Amino acid sequence: MRRCDELGSITDEPGKITRTFASLAMRRANKLVGAWMRETGLQVREDAAFNLIGRWNSEKRGAKTFLLGSHLDTVRDAGKYDGPLGVLAAIAAGQLLRERNIKLPFNLEVVGFSDEEGVRYQTAYLGSRAFAGTLTAADLARIDEKTNRQGEAKSRRISWLRGSPHRARPGAEKNNLPVGS
């Protein structure tokens, strides 16, 4: 619960818990949660869609991967447990397994998805859809349109998911999207 309190203090809006996709608060949240993942012994990275991923590799050759987690973004004026509790509980479970020296027959990935709530672009599940390889070029174009309509420079394009050297998740290659890692 201490970690939920600490994470709850990271916000885009003073006096409220608000963390929107790709905002400064989300970057700070990923940095903090990433540090907790590293303390647990997970290998940590961010994918092209700003999903935070902690991985514990199994010693078993050819092991499948088991995912645990939730989202780290919030609605405006959110509660502090909604998404983060799933991520923090997964980190705590990994820590307990390591402390007990339990060897897993599968790889474990703890994921903090970057966007479930859709507050910034009114398009929910950007992070998990990118991770799963179901985010399409048409989805990205709609985000570009919303960005341009909100008065930002027309030349600005959503580049966070283009041109990144990440391994594609299933389904992403057919859309020429560099997703996952």
Side-chain angles (χ1 to χ4, degrees):
M1 296 287 125
R2 175 191 56 78
R3 286 180 172 175
C4 285
D5 291 339
E6 193 172 344
L7 187 56
S9 71
I10 298 175
T11 180
D12 293 321
E13 297 180 74
K16 300 177 183 178
I17 300 174
T18 303
R19 282 188 303 276
T20 60
F21 174 77
S23 68
L24 180 58
M26 273 300 299
R27 289 184 207 131
R28 289 178 46 224
N30 275 7
K31 184 177 179 180
L32 178 63
V33 175
W36 291 333
M37 288 177 170
R38 281 183 195 86
E39 287 174 13
T40 302
L42 301 176
Q43 299 169 4
V44 180
R45 70 190 189 290
E46 255 187 16
D47 71 10
F50 303 111
N51 293 311
L52 182 65
I53 304 158
R55 184 175 177 92
W56 176 7
N57 287 317
S58 173
E59 293 177 1
K60 182 180 175 187
R61 187 179 191 128
K64 301 223 182 226
T65 299
F66 183 67
L67 256 73
L68 294 171
S70 188
H71 61 101
L72 294 172
D73 70 315
T74 70
V75 296
R76 296 200 189 292
D77 200 13
K80 60 184 164 186
Y81 303 112
D82 176 13
L85 187 58
V87 178
L88 300 178
I91 293 169
Q95 183 174 357
L96 183 63
L97 290 168
R98 284 204 182 261
E99 287 171 357
R100 294 184 178 177
N101 203 28
I102 295 173
K103 306 292 182 198
L104 299 176
F106 49 82
N107 303 310
L108 176 66
E109 282 192 349
V110 176
V111 183
F113 291 108
S114 60
D115 175 77
E116 177 182 294
E117 304 294 359
V119 172
R120 185 166 186 177
Y121 295 112
Q122 294 77 52
T123 52
Y125 308 112
L126 289 177
S128 56
R129 289 172 58 212
F131 188 87
T134 62
L135 189 64
T136 67
D139 294 325
L140 294 174
R142 279 196 301 276
I143 294 167
D144 281 343
E145 289 172 18
K146 288 175 189 261
T147 300
N148 290 334
R149 272 189 255 137
Q150 293 173 0
E152 296 181 31
K154 289 200 182 234
S155 63
R156 181 177 181 273
R157 292 290 177 242
I158 302 300
S159 60
W160 49 267
L161 197 49
R162 296 185 180 117
S164 179
H166 294 280
R167 185 184 83 228
R169 293 279 180 190
E173 285 181 337
K174 69 180 180 184
N175 295 312
N176 198 25
L177 299 174
V179 183
S181 61

